[in-house]
PDB file of all heavy atoms in Angstrom:
ATOM      1  N   LEU N   4       9.419  19.175 -46.737  1.00 97.00           N
ATOM      2  CA  LEU N   4       9.145  20.294 -45.820  1.00 97.00           C
ATOM      3  C   LEU N   4       9.782  21.547 -46.353  1.00 97.00           C
ATOM      4  O   LEU N   4      10.963  21.518 -46.663  1.00 97.00           O
ATOM      5  CB  LEU N   4       9.706  19.995 -44.398  1.00 97.00           C
ATOM      6  CG  LEU N   4       9.213  18.711 -43.709  1.00 97.00           C
ATOM      7  CD1 LEU N   4       9.880  18.551 -42.339  1.00 97.00           C
ATOM      8  CD2 LEU N   4       7.705  18.732 -43.549  1.00 97.00           C
ATOM      9  N   VAL N   5       8.995  22.609 -46.402  1.00 95.00           N
ATOM     10  CA  VAL N   5       9.492  23.877 -46.902  1.00 95.00           C
ATOM     11  C   VAL N   5       9.382  24.885 -45.765  1.00 95.00           C
ATOM     12  O   VAL N   5       8.269  25.221 -45.307  1.00 95.00           O
ATOM     13  CB  VAL N   5       8.708  24.365 -48.140  1.00 95.00           C
ATOM     14  CG1 VAL N   5       9.244  25.754 -48.578  1.00 95.00           C
ATOM     15  CG2 VAL N   5       8.863  23.349 -49.282  1.00 95.00           C
ATOM     16  N   GLU N   6      10.549  25.471 -45.352  1.00 96.00           N
ATOM     17  CA  GLU N   6      10.559  26.388 -44.251  1.00 96.00           C
ATOM     18  C   GLU N   6      10.690  27.841 -44.784  1.00 96.00           C
ATOM     19  O   GLU N   6      11.211  28.043 -45.903  1.00 96.00           O
ATOM     20  CB  GLU N   6      11.787  26.108 -43.371  1.00 96.00           C
ATOM     21  CG  GLU N   6      11.813  24.749 -42.778  1.00 96.00           C
ATOM     22  CD  GLU N   6      13.185  24.130 -42.732  1.00 96.00           C
ATOM     23  OE1 GLU N   6      14.078  24.576 -43.570  1.00 96.00           O
ATOM     24  OE2 GLU N   6      13.423  23.267 -41.874  1.00 96.00           O
ATOM     25  N   SER N   7      10.218  28.758 -43.983  1.00 95.00           N
ATOM     26  CA  SER N   7      10.361  30.173 -44.308  1.00 95.00           C
ATOM     27  C   SER N   7      10.332  30.978 -43.033  1.00 95.00           C
ATOM     28  O   SER N   7       9.927  30.498 -41.991  1.00 95.00           O
ATOM     29  CB  SER N   7       9.245  30.620 -45.270  1.00 95.00           C
ATOM     30  OG  SER N   7       8.004  30.445 -44.631  1.00 95.00           O
ATOM     31  N   GLY N   8      10.775  32.249 -43.131  1.00 97.00           N
ATOM     32  CA  GLY N   8      10.697  33.145 -42.013  1.00 97.00           C
ATOM     33  C   GLY N   8      12.010  33.520 -41.349  1.00 97.00           C
ATOM     34  O   GLY N   8      12.034  34.437 -40.543  1.00 97.00           O
ATOM     35  N   GLY N   9      13.073  32.814 -41.668  1.00 97.00           N
ATOM     36  CA  GLY N   9      14.367  33.176 -41.090  1.00 97.00           C
ATOM     37  C   GLY N   9      14.816  34.570 -41.578  1.00 97.00           C
ATOM     38  O   GLY N   9      14.557  34.933 -42.705  1.00 97.00           O
ATOM     39  N   ASP N  10      15.484  35.288 -40.700  1.00 97.00           N
ATOM     40  CA  ASP N  10      15.898  36.649 -41.042  1.00 97.00           C
ATOM     41  C   ASP N  10      16.923  37.127 -40.009  1.00 97.00           C
ATOM     42  O   ASP N  10      17.277  36.421 -39.102  1.00 97.00           O
ATOM     43  CB  ASP N  10      14.653  37.553 -41.026  1.00 97.00           C
ATOM     44  CG  ASP N  10      14.832  38.721 -41.910  1.00 97.00           C
ATOM     45  OD1 ASP N  10      16.011  39.063 -42.316  1.00 97.00           O
ATOM     46  OD2 ASP N  10      13.793  39.406 -42.214  1.00 97.00           O
ATOM     47  N   LEU N  18      10.443  36.917 -34.512  1.00 98.00           N
ATOM     48  CA  LEU N  18      10.349  36.304 -35.800  1.00 98.00           C
ATOM     49  C   LEU N  18       9.357  35.186 -35.697  1.00 98.00           C
ATOM     50  O   LEU N  18       9.119  34.564 -34.654  1.00 98.00           O
ATOM     51  CB  LEU N  18      11.721  35.713 -36.251  1.00 98.00           C
ATOM     52  CG  LEU N  18      12.783  36.696 -36.758  1.00 98.00           C
ATOM     53  CD1 LEU N  18      14.016  35.883 -37.051  1.00 98.00           C
ATOM     54  CD2 LEU N  18      12.298  37.399 -38.024  1.00 98.00           C
ATOM     55  N   ARG N  19       8.746  34.873 -36.868  1.00 98.00           N
ATOM     56  CA  ARG N  19       7.857  33.753 -36.953  1.00 98.00           C
ATOM     57  C   ARG N  19       8.309  32.815 -38.116  1.00 98.00           C
ATOM     58  O   ARG N  19       8.353  33.258 -39.273  1.00 98.00           O
ATOM     59  CB  ARG N  19       6.416  34.179 -37.202  1.00 98.00           C
ATOM     60  CG  ARG N  19       5.404  33.051 -37.136  1.00 98.00           C
ATOM     61  CD  ARG N  19       4.038  33.449 -37.637  1.00 98.00           C
ATOM     62  NE  ARG N  19       2.989  32.558 -37.270  1.00 98.00           N
ATOM     63  CZ  ARG N  19       1.879  32.408 -37.964  1.00 98.00           C
ATOM     64  NH1 ARG N  19       1.711  33.063 -39.095  1.00 98.00           N
ATOM     65  NH2 ARG N  19       0.912  31.597 -37.562  1.00 98.00           N
ATOM     66  N   LEU N  20       8.655  31.613 -37.723  1.00 98.00           N
ATOM     67  CA  LEU N  20       9.064  30.604 -38.724  1.00 98.00           C
ATOM     68  C   LEU N  20       7.814  29.785 -39.106  1.00 98.00           C
ATOM     69  O   LEU N  20       6.962  29.480 -38.286  1.00 98.00           O
ATOM     70  CB  LEU N  20      10.131  29.719 -38.200  1.00 98.00           C
ATOM     71  CG  LEU N  20      11.388  30.375 -37.648  1.00 98.00           C
ATOM     72  CD1 LEU N  20      12.435  29.274 -37.237  1.00 98.00           C
ATOM     73  CD2 LEU N  20      12.034  31.300 -38.676  1.00 98.00           C
ATOM     74  N   SER N  21       7.777  29.381 -40.378  1.00 98.00           N
ATOM     75  CA  SER N  21       6.717  28.490 -40.856  1.00 98.00           C
ATOM     76  C   SER N  21       7.335  27.312 -41.556  1.00 98.00           C
ATOM     77  O   SER N  21       8.408  27.401 -42.119  1.00 98.00           O
ATOM     78  CB  SER N  21       5.831  29.223 -41.906  1.00 98.00           C
ATOM     79  OG  SER N  21       5.222  30.325 -41.305  1.00 98.00           O
ATOM     80  N   CYS N  22       6.640  26.176 -41.547  1.00 98.00           N
ATOM     81  CA  CYS N  22       7.115  24.982 -42.197  1.00 98.00           C
ATOM     82  C   CYS N  22       5.908  24.230 -42.708  1.00 98.00           C
ATOM     83  O   CYS N  22       5.034  23.792 -41.925  1.00 98.00           O
ATOM     84  CB  CYS N  22       7.894  24.099 -41.222  1.00 98.00           C
ATOM     85  SG  CYS N  22       8.344  22.431 -41.848  1.00 98.00           S
ATOM     86  N   ALA N  23       5.856  24.024 -43.991  1.00 97.00           N
ATOM     87  CA  ALA N  23       4.715  23.339 -44.629  1.00 97.00           C
ATOM     88  C   ALA N  23       5.120  21.989 -45.219  1.00 97.00           C
ATOM     89  O   ALA N  23       6.126  21.929 -45.923  1.00 97.00           O
ATOM     90  CB  ALA N  23       4.073  24.244 -45.732  1.00 97.00           C
ATOM     91  N   ALA N  24       4.368  21.009 -44.927  1.00 96.00           N
ATOM     92  CA  ALA N  24       4.665  19.653 -45.398  1.00 96.00           C
ATOM     93  C   ALA N  24       3.768  19.398 -46.622  1.00 96.00           C
ATOM     94  O   ALA N  24       2.591  19.716 -46.637  1.00 96.00           O
ATOM     95  CB  ALA N  24       4.391  18.619 -44.351  1.00 96.00           C
ATOM     96  N   TRP N  36      10.750  21.782 -34.301  1.00 98.00           N
ATOM     97  CA  TRP N  36      11.870  22.672 -34.769  1.00 98.00           C
ATOM     98  C   TRP N  36      13.114  22.327 -33.972  1.00 98.00           C
ATOM     99  O   TRP N  36      13.079  22.124 -32.754  1.00 98.00           O
ATOM    100  CB  TRP N  36      11.472  24.143 -34.503  1.00 98.00           C
ATOM    101  CG  TRP N  36      10.400  24.628 -35.373  1.00 98.00           C
ATOM    102  CD1 TRP N  36       9.051  24.709 -35.129  1.00 98.00           C
ATOM    103  CD2 TRP N  36      10.577  25.134 -36.710  1.00 98.00           C
ATOM    104  NE1 TRP N  36       8.395  25.207 -36.255  1.00 98.00           N
ATOM    105  CE2 TRP N  36       9.267  25.485 -37.213  1.00 98.00           C
ATOM    106  CE3 TRP N  36      11.678  25.351 -37.540  1.00 98.00           C
ATOM    107  CZ2 TRP N  36       9.091  26.050 -38.474  1.00 98.00           C
ATOM    108  CZ3 TRP N  36      11.460  25.923 -38.821  1.00 98.00           C
ATOM    109  CH2 TRP N  36      10.200  26.233 -39.260  1.00 98.00           C
ATOM    110  N   THR N  77       1.055  22.279 -41.514  1.00 96.00           N
ATOM    111  CA  THR N  77       2.005  23.335 -41.294  1.00 96.00           C
ATOM    112  C   THR N  77       2.236  23.567 -39.821  1.00 96.00           C
ATOM    113  O   THR N  77       1.295  23.497 -38.992  1.00 96.00           O
ATOM    114  CB  THR N  77       1.481  24.661 -41.926  1.00 96.00           C
ATOM    115  OG1 THR N  77       1.337  24.498 -43.339  1.00 96.00           O
ATOM    116  CG2 THR N  77       2.449  25.812 -41.689  1.00 96.00           C
ATOM    117  N   VAL N  78       3.446  23.821 -39.485  1.00 97.00           N
ATOM    118  CA  VAL N  78       3.882  24.117 -38.107  1.00 97.00           C
ATOM    119  C   VAL N  78       4.539  25.479 -38.078  1.00 97.00           C
ATOM    120  O   VAL N  78       5.230  25.876 -39.034  1.00 97.00           O
ATOM    121  CB  VAL N  78       4.834  23.030 -37.521  1.00 97.00           C
ATOM    122  CG1 VAL N  78       6.136  23.018 -38.255  1.00 97.00           C
ATOM    123  CG2 VAL N  78       5.048  23.185 -36.038  1.00 97.00           C
ATOM    124  N   TYR N  79       4.381  26.185 -37.006  1.00 98.00           N
ATOM    125  CA  TYR N  79       4.876  27.580 -36.855  1.00 98.00           C
ATOM    126  C   TYR N  79       5.683  27.638 -35.556  1.00 98.00           C
ATOM    127  O   TYR N  79       5.454  26.872 -34.601  1.00 98.00           O
ATOM    128  CB  TYR N  79       3.743  28.566 -36.729  1.00 98.00           C
ATOM    129  CG  TYR N  79       2.771  28.525 -37.863  1.00 98.00           C
ATOM    130  CD1 TYR N  79       1.575  27.769 -37.741  1.00 98.00           C
ATOM    131  CD2 TYR N  79       2.979  29.184 -39.061  1.00 98.00           C
ATOM    132  CE1 TYR N  79       0.669  27.688 -38.801  1.00 98.00           C
ATOM    133  CE2 TYR N  79       2.080  29.126 -40.149  1.00 98.00           C
ATOM    134  CZ  TYR N  79       0.922  28.354 -39.983  1.00 98.00           C
ATOM    135  OH  TYR N  79       0.021  28.299 -41.001  1.00 98.00           O
ATOM    136  N   LEU N  80       6.669  28.537 -35.533  1.00 98.00           N
ATOM    137  CA  LEU N  80       7.427  28.800 -34.314  1.00 98.00           C
ATOM    138  C   LEU N  80       7.483  30.345 -34.206  1.00 98.00           C
ATOM    139  O   LEU N  80       8.166  31.013 -34.950  1.00 98.00           O
ATOM    140  CB  LEU N  80       8.837  28.232 -34.439  1.00 98.00           C
ATOM    141  CG  LEU N  80       9.672  28.389 -33.165  1.00 98.00           C
ATOM    142  CD1 LEU N  80       9.091  27.492 -32.040  1.00 98.00           C
ATOM    143  CD2 LEU N  80      11.150  27.976 -33.406  1.00 98.00           C
ATOM    144  N   GLN N  81       6.762  30.809 -33.204  1.00 98.00           N
ATOM    145  CA  GLN N  81       6.793  32.268 -32.878  1.00 98.00           C
ATOM    146  C   GLN N  81       7.897  32.484 -31.868  1.00 98.00           C
ATOM    147  O   GLN N  81       7.881  31.865 -30.782  1.00 98.00           O
ATOM    148  CB  GLN N  81       5.409  32.667 -32.273  1.00 98.00           C
ATOM    149  CG  GLN N  81       5.387  34.146 -31.868  1.00 98.00           C
ATOM    150  CD  GLN N  81       5.489  35.087 -33.058  1.00 98.00           C
ATOM    151  OE1 GLN N  81       4.893  34.876 -34.092  1.00 98.00           O
ATOM    152  NE2 GLN N  81       6.296  36.101 -32.875  1.00 98.00           N
ATOM    153  N   MET N  82       8.856  33.278 -32.279  1.00 98.00           N
ATOM    154  CA  MET N  82       9.996  33.519 -31.408  1.00 98.00           C
ATOM    155  C   MET N  82      10.022  34.985 -30.944  1.00 98.00           C
ATOM    156  O   MET N  82      10.149  35.894 -31.784  1.00 98.00           O
ATOM    157  CB  MET N  82      11.305  33.202 -32.192  1.00 98.00           C
ATOM    158  CG  MET N  82      11.328  31.781 -32.763  1.00 98.00           C
ATOM    159  SD  MET N  82      12.908  31.364 -33.515  1.00 98.00           S
ATOM    160  CE  MET N  82      12.920  32.476 -34.964  1.00 98.00           C
ATOM    161  N   TYR N  93      17.789  26.964 -38.246  1.00 98.00           N
ATOM    162  CA  TYR N  93      16.605  26.297 -37.689  1.00 98.00           C
ATOM    163  C   TYR N  93      16.082  25.325 -38.723  1.00 98.00           C
ATOM    164  O   TYR N  93      15.824  25.680 -39.893  1.00 98.00           O
ATOM    165  CB  TYR N  93      15.588  27.299 -37.300  1.00 98.00           C
ATOM    166  CG  TYR N  93      15.931  28.039 -36.016  1.00 98.00           C
ATOM    167  CD1 TYR N  93      16.981  28.943 -35.952  1.00 98.00           C
ATOM    168  CD2 TYR N  93      15.208  27.755 -34.848  1.00 98.00           C
ATOM    169  CE1 TYR N  93      17.335  29.538 -34.807  1.00 98.00           C
ATOM    170  CE2 TYR N  93      15.549  28.396 -33.652  1.00 98.00           C
ATOM    171  CZ  TYR N  93      16.621  29.310 -33.649  1.00 98.00           C
ATOM    172  OH  TYR N  93      16.957  29.932 -32.473  1.00 98.00           O
ATOM    173  N   TYR N  94      15.820  24.060 -38.290  1.00 98.00           N
ATOM    174  CA  TYR N  94      15.327  23.013 -39.169  1.00 98.00           C
ATOM    175  C   TYR N  94      13.972  22.534 -38.686  1.00 98.00           C
ATOM    176  O   TYR N  94      13.767  22.336 -37.461  1.00 98.00           O
ATOM    177  CB  TYR N  94      16.275  21.843 -39.181  1.00 98.00           C
ATOM    178  CG  TYR N  94      17.636  22.077 -39.794  1.00 98.00           C
ATOM    179  CD1 TYR N  94      18.703  22.573 -39.026  1.00 98.00           C
ATOM    180  CD2 TYR N  94      17.832  21.861 -41.151  1.00 98.00           C
ATOM    181  CE1 TYR N  94      19.954  22.838 -39.608  1.00 98.00           C
ATOM    182  CE2 TYR N  94      19.078  22.098 -41.715  1.00 98.00           C
ATOM    183  CZ  TYR N  94      20.103  22.580 -40.931  1.00 98.00           C
ATOM    184  OH  TYR N  94      21.321  22.820 -41.517  1.00 98.00           O
ATOM    185  N   CYS N  95      13.087  22.328 -39.621  1.00 98.00           N
ATOM    186  CA  CYS N  95      11.787  21.753 -39.346  1.00 98.00           C
ATOM    187  C   CYS N  95      11.912  20.247 -39.496  1.00 98.00           C
ATOM    188  O   CYS N  95      12.714  19.716 -40.296  1.00 98.00           O
ATOM    189  CB  CYS N  95      10.731  22.310 -40.350  1.00 98.00           C
ATOM    190  SG  CYS N  95       9.093  21.652 -40.161  1.00 98.00           S
ATOM    191  N   GLY N 111      13.424  19.608 -43.125  1.00 97.00           N
ATOM    192  CA  GLY N 111      13.478  20.707 -44.064  1.00 97.00           C
ATOM    193  C   GLY N 111      14.913  21.078 -44.367  1.00 97.00           C
ATOM    194  O   GLY N 111      15.836  20.440 -43.856  1.00 97.00           O
ATOM    195  N   GLN N 112      15.062  22.054 -45.220  1.00 96.00           N
ATOM    196  CA  GLN N 112      16.366  22.453 -45.677  1.00 96.00           C
ATOM    197  C   GLN N 112      17.068  23.400 -44.746  1.00 96.00           C
ATOM    198  O   GLN N 112      18.316  23.611 -44.889  1.00 96.00           O
ATOM    199  CB  GLN N 112      16.286  23.092 -47.109  1.00 96.00           C
ATOM    200  CG  GLN N 112      15.820  24.539 -47.086  1.00 96.00           C
ATOM    201  CD  GLN N 112      14.347  24.750 -46.853  1.00 96.00           C
ATOM    202  OE1 GLN N 112      13.597  23.791 -46.712  1.00 96.00           O
ATOM    203  NE2 GLN N 112      13.907  25.986 -46.900  1.00 96.00           N
ATOM    204  N   GLY N 113      16.350  23.961 -43.780  1.00 97.00           N
ATOM    205  CA  GLY N 113      16.924  24.871 -42.830  1.00 97.00           C
ATOM    206  C   GLY N 113      16.730  26.320 -43.210  1.00 97.00           C
ATOM    207  O   GLY N 113      16.726  26.653 -44.406  1.00 97.00           O
ATOM    208  N   THR N 114      16.609  27.165 -42.206  1.00 97.00           N
ATOM    209  CA  THR N 114      16.427  28.585 -42.406  1.00 97.00           C
ATOM    210  C   THR N 114      17.320  29.317 -41.393  1.00 97.00           C
ATOM    211  O   THR N 114      17.311  28.966 -40.192  1.00 97.00           O
ATOM    212  CB  THR N 114      14.978  29.031 -42.369  1.00 97.00           C
ATOM    213  OG1 THR N 114      14.818  30.392 -42.661  1.00 97.00           O
ATOM    214  CG2 THR N 114      14.340  28.794 -40.976  1.00 97.00           C
ATOM    215  N   GLN N 115      18.027  30.311 -41.815  1.00 98.00           N
ATOM    216  CA  GLN N 115      18.969  31.019 -40.920  1.00 98.00           C
ATOM    217  C   GLN N 115      18.263  32.082 -40.102  1.00 98.00           C
ATOM    218  O   GLN N 115      17.526  32.943 -40.685  1.00 98.00           O
ATOM    219  CB  GLN N 115      20.101  31.654 -41.746  1.00 98.00           C
ATOM    220  CG  GLN N 115      21.056  32.487 -40.927  1.00 98.00           C
ATOM    221  CD  GLN N 115      21.993  31.657 -40.079  1.00 98.00           C
ATOM    222  OE1 GLN N 115      22.512  30.611 -40.499  1.00 98.00           O
ATOM    223  NE2 GLN N 115      22.178  32.039 -38.795  1.00 98.00           N
ATOM    224  N   VAL N 116      18.480  32.058 -38.826  1.00 98.00           N
ATOM    225  CA  VAL N 116      18.043  33.067 -37.899  1.00 98.00           C
ATOM    226  C   VAL N 116      19.285  33.719 -37.288  1.00 98.00           C
ATOM    227  O   VAL N 116      20.121  33.039 -36.721  1.00 98.00           O
ATOM    228  CB  VAL N 116      17.102  32.523 -36.781  1.00 98.00           C
ATOM    229  CG1 VAL N 116      16.843  33.594 -35.724  1.00 98.00           C
ATOM    230  CG2 VAL N 116      15.856  31.978 -37.390  1.00 98.00           C
TER     231      VAL N 116
END
Side-chain angles (χ1 to χ4, degrees):
L4 300 180
V5 178
E6 301 142 335
S7 61
D10 206 344
L18 283 175
R19 188 191 195 208
L20 305 183
S21 299
C22 171
W36 289 95
T77 298
V78 65
Y79 306 95
L80 185 68
Q81 179 66 43
M82 304 186 294
Y93 284 70
Y94 293 90
C95 179
Q112 80 283 359
T114 186
Q115 177 71 46
V116 171

